[in-house]
Amino acid sequence: MEPTAQKFQETTSVAPWRQMNATQDDALAPAIEAACAQACEAIAPAWPLDRAIAVNPHWGRIGRPVREVAARMAVLGGIRVFPAREYLQQAWDSGRVSEADLAAALRTLPAAHASRLQVADCVAALRASMPAHQLPLLIDVLDDDPARDTRLSWRQAITHQVSQTCAAYFDEHQADWQPQGETGLYAFWHETLTHDHGIGLLMGLPHLGRALHALPASRQDAEQWVLRRLGLPTEVWADYLESVLLTVNGWASWCAYLGWQAELGGGSDTHLRELLAIRLAWGAILLECKDDDSAHRAFANLQDEWRHADERLKQAEQDLLVDEVWQLALELGYQRELASKLHAVGGARPVASGEGIEVQAAFCIDVRSEPLRRALEAAWPAIQTLGFAGFFGLPVAYTPLATPARRPQLPGLLAPAIEVQDLVRPAGPTGRDETADAALARRQRFAWAQQWAASHRWPSAAYSFVEAAGLGYLGKLGAWLKPSTRERERGDQSGLPAHYRPVCRPMLMGLDVGARVNLARGVLHAMGLDQGLAPLVLLVGHGSQSANNAHAAALDCGACCGQTGEVNARALAQLLNDPAVRTGLAAQGLEIPALTVFVAALHNTTTDEIEGYDLDLLPVPARERWARLQTVFAQAGDQVRRERAPLLGLDPAMGHAALYEQLRRRANDGAQTRPEWGLAGNAAFLIAPRWRSQGAVLGGRSFLHDYEAAQDTDGSVLELLMTAPMLVTHWINWQYHASTCDPLRLGSGNKVLHNVVGGTIGVFEGNGGDLRIGLSEQSLHDGQRWVHEPLRLTVVIDAPRAAIERVIGKHAVVRQLLDNSWLHLWRYEGEQLLRYVPGGWQEIEM
């Protein structure tokens, strides 16, 4: 070793965190802990593929104004929060944003008004390049080799190495060998790196192994090393650490999910802190690879840059003011159209509740329900549709028959409190319970399937598998080459013998009659169905249909932890049809008419057809009524398919059967990257009676939740809606927004290049880099233009001012979303719409 390098090692790299005395250690420990905790709290969770939930990736930052967060993301991670200026230029050139919209945004935004920005200034900014704001990290300033342009940057290589390590450590489903996880993530990475002889070559450091003696022994040592040694001001520690985490934001989000789940269960999780320590420890290693002069230059450069971090953040915030103006102008154009449509409906209040209504259909609030609800109402005036959160108020976890799985069926904000399990229950009397027989048969089939799968996973079998499989494999290949028109498969019944499938039913477990009555009463009240019930009440969940799609769960119900609404709808229908529950409800003054029957159903959002469940349990009049509904379903479904056809590249003028067949084939096509558009285009959330929007063509862009303030005298339902469904729709809205505004860092990239990680954890784009989160390009862009418009959600509530303001005052998270401009809030006052601003309400410009 060169003398200078040896000297540097002795003074800086050999346990540098030990160089301070005990008094200094004790004094800094609380500040170090606080900085690490603050950085970790900024990372939003990302749910696994099989439980996909849309999440606002900035959820941990909503306590700050959105423009301040945009500045922080630009400075700390090079991440864009507002729409790209190229996108905004196209919106301006096409007339999507008018001069009137821009002028209104300048009047509405206090900071723009104070800065005396003009329309001309905003237009000119679109042609100017965005100034560079990002601050460097230690690994960046150390990476000063003249040959660095001929290899991966150290930042890229480290992200790749850490990502591959995390993929191996967290995999529980995909690999045949899993590491021993009890040692912890940091210890596993420490051990892995000492045996990784390729990473040094990728980084242009063939002798990297010699520097590994500088590795901090534990995560606590790694955290202390960087914060004690770098000489950065204490006030920027948390920002620096957040910047470090953003280099592996995908895996940080996965670790945040593990922490989120642990907290829901009353525990804690350290994986995110260990990931942070891993990234910090790389600085200690790379410092060993530099001589004295390079290291001192790097320290001086880093300290100089971060000494001015506050100035950099303020400048970025000022530079982004024009982008915030454009964001608002884009939204004002949409809001003007929305207000016009809602005003056009007018005060067309319905006749007395329930009069002339034969069927009520409660749909999920999902934007894809809006066109079908509108079509059903147009097809048959005797049907009344309602909107309610897709988990139907049941806080359940579901365990499919003969499996160890326990799957949440509710929003990720909540923890399951009730269990649902499959039981075999024929419609008529039976001699014995056949659940055990069905479970045994299914386990046997699972065992055979596992043996079959294992037979072609080993290298020696790879070339012989197709020949051994013979015609069976050719049949599967043929289904790929020519997609069928088969109906949606129900994965929960995979492997179950056919004769058990119709009578295998998800049922609530462990609740006595009193608990079941209270649950039913709460759900009916929240849905507004504690009076005026029709003879037939449909509980319509929804699910998607696609093939070969790693993100298939993201197209199912986000309110049900990425599952379809089938389990919740079926369990609730059985609960509300239970004679004992109805007797208990009647004793409490809630009378369900004897003729009223609840039916579980599912809306297939890919093909727009409705499927019913447990129809064999219905009395004859209800089955006859269901049969008559099929014509209405067919007419409404055809109308919606024609509305959707142009966006899917299909001819809306083709015959009914031909269009339906096309959508069925898309659903079964393993090469189809866009079986449907999901929630692309989402922009508004109406919490109001249906008559406020009935007849308005909202274009599948609005979440619709029915709400009658007159029936909510204590405001408890409104509070629930503003603290649960409103937050869920905000998460959905911002996942789409973020994935569109920065598809490279907050989207998952090209779906064609996805490789699944860990069976269910997430995806890589290609074979490396960070874990990708957010939506794929194909879910947002049709190859020529963005289908999703990055608009913040506009929430419209029909409730008294005092009731709304009471919720805002009581819940800090709601107040933060509003006061920091993460969403817009309107309310009705008679027929007038008013906009919420901190401290009051303003009339909406039309």
Side-chain angles (χ1 to χ4, degrees):
M1 180 180 291
E2 295 294 325
T4 54
Q6 182 177 357
K7 177 182 177 183
F8 185 70
Q9 174 188 329
E10 291 170 352
T11 60
T12 65
S13 297
V14 177
W17 52 90
R18 303 294 186 200
Q19 293 176 6
M20 298 184 182
N21 60 43
T23 301
Q24 290 173 308
D25 285 354
D26 293 341
L28 287 178
I32 291 173
E33 176 62 28
C36 292
Q38 183 178 329
C40 291
E41 287 169 1
I43 305 298
W47 267 252
L49 295 174
D50 61 335
R51 300 182 180 184
I53 292 177
V55 180
N56 175 3
H58 307 300
W59 182 245
R61 307 179 181 103
I62 63 169
R64 302 175 187 267
V66 68
R67 179 157 54 93
E68 182 182 334
V69 171
R72 290 177 60 79
M73 291 300 93
V75 171
L76 302 183
I79 294 171
R80 190 167 54 231
V81 172
F82 293 123
R85 291 187 176 183
E86 295 84 355
Y87 177 88
L88 295 168
Q89 181 73 64
Q90 292 172 4
W92 175 254
D93 292 341
S94 67
R96 166 61 182 81
V97 174
S98 68
E99 185 170 343
D101 295 330
L102 204 51
L106 290 168
R107 289 193 303 273
T108 303
L109 200 60
H113 189 70
S115 297
R116 298 184 177 180
L117 271 178
Q118 303 294 318
V119 169
D121 300 325
C122 296
V123 175
L126 296 182
R127 296 189 291 272
S129 58
M130 175 67 74
H133 298 108
Q134 191 170 1
L135 284 167
L137 298 172
L138 177 61
I139 59 173
D140 301 317
V141 295
L142 288 172
D143 191 8
D144 59 356
D145 181 357
R148 61 183 178 274
D149 292 336
T150 64
R151 56 166 169 79
L152 285 177
S153 71
W154 285 0
R155 179 183 282 249
Q156 291 171 318
I158 290 169
T159 295
H160 179 83
Q161 190 275 333
V162 172
S163 185
Q164 295 293 313
T165 302
C166 287
Y169 178 84
F170 289 113
D171 181 7
E172 296 181 356
H173 302 288
Q174 196 163 343
D176 289 307
W177 172 86
Q178 278 87 31
Q180 297 298 314
E182 60 268 15
T183 58
L185 177 59
Y186 184 87
F188 175 72
W189 168 80
H190 192 296
E191 176 67 18
T192 299
L193 189 60
T194 60
H195 296 91
D196 187 345
H197 303 297
I199 186 65
L201 295 176
L202 287 174
M203 301 176 72
L205 298 170
H207 304 298
L208 178 67
R210 300 176 186 175
L212 296 184
H213 63 84
L215 272 171
S218 68
R219 77 159 177 88
Q220 292 87 350
D221 287 341
E223 291 171 351
Q224 293 180 18
W225 183 89
V226 71
L227 294 178
R228 296 174 190 274
R229 186 70 189 90
L230 290 185
L232 299 178
T234 308
E235 57 268 20
V236 305
W237 283 4
D239 291 345
Y240 185 87
L241 295 176
E242 185 178 346
S243 183
V244 167
L245 283 173
L246 288 174
T247 65
V248 284
N249 186 52
W251 283 109
S253 300
W254 168 254
C255 292
Y257 161 76
L258 298 177
W260 182 286
Q261 295 302 110
E263 287 182 16
L264 284 179
S268 62
D269 185 271
T270 63
H271 283 107
L272 186 52
R273 287 289 288 271
E274 293 191 66
L275 179 65
L276 173 60
I278 289 170
R279 276 292 289 104
L280 294 175
W282 262 108
I285 300 168
L286 295 179
L287 199 58
E288 280 296 296
C289 300
K290 309 298 288 189
D291 59 31
D292 282 10
D293 291 340
S294 294
H296 286 303
R297 280 198 307 271
F299 274 118
N301 186 5
L302 189 73
Q303 290 164 2
D304 181 62
E305 291 275 6
W306 280 86
R307 192 177 300 116
H308 300 97
D310 188 56
E311 299 166 31
R312 188 80 67 93
L313 286 165
K314 288 179 179 176
Q315 184 59 54
E317 194 171 345
Q318 181 59 38
D319 291 341
L320 287 164
L321 176 57
V322 68
D323 299 82
E324 186 177 24
V325 171
W326 277 103
Q327 171 77 79
L328 183 55
L330 196 66
E331 290 156 354
L332 289 175
Y334 167 76
Q335 289 176 341
R336 186 177 59 253
E337 177 186 341
L338 175 64
S340 177
K341 289 181 177 180
L342 295 178
H343 277 301
V345 173
R349 294 175 182 268
V351 294
S353 179
E355 184 176 326
I357 299 299
E358 295 185 38
V359 175
Q360 290 165 321
F363 283 82
C364 179
I365 63 175
D366 189 284
V367 296
R368 291 167 291 183
S369 300
E370 183 269 326
L372 186 55
R373 289 181 61 185
R374 176 166 32 89
L376 285 169
E377 292 162 350
W380 191 35
I383 190 168
Q384 176 190 8
T385 74
L386 307 96
F388 190 69
F391 74 116
F392 293 107
L394 298 184
V396 302
Y398 166 57
T399 299
L401 182 70
T403 73
R406 182 177 181 269
R407 193 176 72 203
Q409 296 271 156
L410 76 173
L413 294 164
L414 308 172
I418 302 172
E419 301 299 320
V420 171
Q421 295 179 10
D422 282 336
L423 298 177
V424 174
R425 291 291 182 268
T430 180
R432 63 188 182 87
D433 188 343
E434 296 185 80
T435 302
D437 295 340
L440 177 61
R442 193 178 197 190
R443 289 192 192 98
Q444 290 175 337
R445 291 195 177 193
F446 281 160
W448 298 333
Q450 288 168 355
Q451 292 175 6
W452 175 259
S455 69
H456 65 277
R457 291 172 65 181
W458 305 106
S460 61
Y463 294 102
S464 60
F465 175 69
V466 173
E467 183 176 352
L471 294 178
Y473 189 82
L474 289 177
K476 183 175 293 187
L477 182 62
W480 281 76
L481 294 175
K482 186 177 180 181
S484 72
T485 59
R486 68 177 183 273
E487 62 184 14
R488 189 182 64 86
E489 292 183 358
R490 294 164 63 186
D492 291 339
Q493 295 193 338
S494 176
L496 190 65
H499 62 282
Y500 287 121
R501 294 187 182 190
V503 294
C504 184
R505 313 184 203 272
M507 304 185 72
L508 294 167
M509 307 297 292
L511 298 179
D512 60 25
V513 173
R516 293 164 69 84
V517 169
N518 290 335
L519 178 62
R521 182 182 182 85
V523 171
L524 288 172
H525 179 62
M527 294 178 72
L529 289 177
D530 44 6
Q531 57 183 325
L533 286 164
L536 192 67
V537 182
L538 309 183
L539 303 172
V540 190
H542 67 91
S544 182
Q545 182 179 354
S546 58
N548 187 33
N549 185 357
H551 287 92
L555 294 174
D556 286 329
C557 186
C560 297
C561 244
Q563 313 305 322
T564 74
E566 175 188 339
V567 167
N568 300 61
R570 294 178 70 184
L572 181 58
Q574 292 178 62
L575 176 71
L576 297 176
N577 287 331
D578 185 344
V581 170
R582 292 192 176 200
T583 299
L585 288 172
Q588 296 183 12
L590 199 164
E591 190 85 38
I592 296 179
L595 292 178
T596 295
V597 177
F598 293 84
V599 180
L602 192 85
H603 168 206
N604 183 330
T605 55
T606 307
T607 61
D608 282 303
E609 52 192 321
I610 295 178
E611 176 184 3
Y613 298 107
D614 303 316
L615 302 178
D616 57 321
L617 299 179
L618 304 182
V620 173
R623 272 185 288 190
E624 291 175 348
R625 200 170 258 113
W626 172 265
R628 290 197 299 271
L629 271 175
Q630 302 313 300
T631 303
V632 178
F633 290 162
Q635 181 180 337
D638 183 68
Q639 177 182 321
V640 179
R641 288 189 282 272
R642 294 188 187 285
E643 285 186 25
R644 294 175 52 222
L647 266 181
L648 295 170
L650 302 175
D651 181 6
M654 71 172 68
H656 306 311
L659 180 56
Y660 174 65
E661 181 179 315
Q662 283 284 337
L663 289 171
R664 271 286 184 96
R665 291 194 188 281
R666 289 176 69 90
N668 292 307
D669 187 352
Q672 178 55 253
T673 58
R674 299 181 185 92
E676 61 160 285
W677 281 109
L679 293 97
N682 74 85
F685 178 25
L686 274 64
I687 302 175
R690 176 56 174 154
W691 60 265
R692 286 289 194 184
S693 59
Q694 191 163 357
V697 180
L698 299 177
R701 305 188 68 179
S702 296
F703 301 95
L704 299 177
H705 200 302
D706 280 61
Y707 172 71
E708 290 279 358
Q711 298 177 20
D712 182 30
T713 54
D714 62 355
S716 59
V717 174
L718 178 64
E719 182 176 4
L720 179 65
L721 296 179
M722 291 182 67
T723 55
M726 191 172 85
L727 301 191
V728 170
T729 55
H730 160 78
W731 275 19
I732 293 169
N733 174 259
W734 264 93
Q735 184 187 60
Y736 275 79
H737 186 286
S739 298
T740 303
C741 291
D742 198 332
L744 180 63
R745 297 169 184 84
L746 299 177
S748 59
N750 187 343
K751 178 183 269 188
V752 177
L753 303 178
H754 283 175
N755 282 305
V756 174
V757 179
T760 61
I761 292 173
V763 297
F764 286 153
E765 186 182 19
N767 67 345
D770 194 13
L771 187 73
R772 300 302 297 266
I773 61 173
L775 298 159
S776 70
E777 294 173 11
Q778 286 85 351
S779 292
L780 306 161
H781 197 281
D782 67 2
Q784 297 181 334
R785 67 179 186 89
W786 292 102
V787 171
H788 180 72
E789 283 191 315
L791 310 178
R792 289 169 294 187
L793 193 69
T794 299
V795 180
V796 186
I797 302 179
D798 187 6
R801 171 178 177 170
I804 296 173
E805 291 181 347
R806 188 161 46 247
V807 177
I808 296 171
K810 183 177 178 180
H811 295 276
V813 66
V814 175
R815 196 162 55 251
Q816 289 172 343
L817 289 174
L818 295 172
D819 291 349
N820 293 327
S821 302
W822 291 95
L823 55 74
H824 302 279
L825 176 62
W826 295 0
R827 71 175 178 86
Y828 278 99
E829 189 168 284
E831 303 308 314
Q832 187 180 26
L833 285 167
L834 301 177
R835 178 195 308 276
Y836 173 85
V837 294
W841 299 84
Q842 293 178 350
E843 187 174 347
I844 293 172
E845 297 182 28
M846 289 291 292

